[in-house]
Amino acid sequence: SSFFWFGVPKITRCAAIASVMAQRRSPVAVLALVVAAILVGQQCSAFLPSPQLVARTEMEQAQGAVVAAGLAAVAMPEPSLAARVEEEDEGFDLRILAVLALPLFAVSWALFNVWRVAFRQVVRIGESAKGNPL
């Protein structure tokens, strides 16, 4: 019984009421929307800030950078006396050999194996060209 209202389904009745409400617009609501749009438009006039605001912001950033550089220069410690003493020449540094020994050994071993196999192949090709069996 709640589904029908005077023989008309509730869904049709709600659609009829909504269409009547959509046709009648209040001039006060339209005026309120226009005023709200104008106020919002005045508060945020553009996506980009004004040139004066940009210039002021850039000046503040530049001043902040100068102050930061000055504070960094003042806060930098003096080098210690040990860093100023020149090191005596100790001769050849053996650490270079310790670092390069393993890679040099690996490269020489790889070259030895490659050239050994290549030499065997050349000998086999020469033997087969002479007609000798493999």
Side-chain angles (χ1 to χ4, degrees):
S1 68
S2 65
F3 185 71
F4 287 99
W5 177 62
F6 297 113
V8 179
K10 260 189 177 179
I11 297 171
T12 310
R13 185 182 63 192
C14 291
I17 293 172
S19 67
V20 169
M21 288 177 61
Q23 291 173 359
R24 297 182 185 167
R25 292 192 180 133
S26 171
V28 176
V30 173
L31 183 62
L33 285 174
V34 170
V35 170
I38 290 173
L39 289 176
V40 169
Q42 287 178 352
Q43 287 179 355
C44 52
S45 61
F47 291 106
L48 299 175
S50 65
Q52 296 84 11
L53 181 62
V54 170
R56 187 174 0 142
T57 304
E58 288 177 354
M59 181 61 72
E60 290 173 359
Q61 287 178 351
Q63 288 173 349
V66 169
V67 169
L71 290 175
V74 170
M76 188 180 306
E78 290 289 324
S80 64
L81 293 176
R84 292 184 182 179
V85 176
E86 294 181 21
E87 294 183 17
E88 296 179 12
D89 190 17
E90 297 176 5
F92 185 72
D93 193 6
L94 293 176
R95 291 180 291 178
I96 294 172
L97 292 179
V99 170
L100 296 178
L102 186 62
L104 288 176
F105 179 73
V107 168
S108 63
W109 184 255
L111 289 176
F112 169 74
N113 286 328
V114 168
W115 288 110
R116 183 174 53 105
V117 172
F119 180 72
R120 284 185 184 171
Q121 289 292 344
V122 170
V123 170
R124 285 186 181 179
I125 291 172
E127 289 176 355
S128 66
K130 292 179 188 176
N132 295 336
L134 295 174

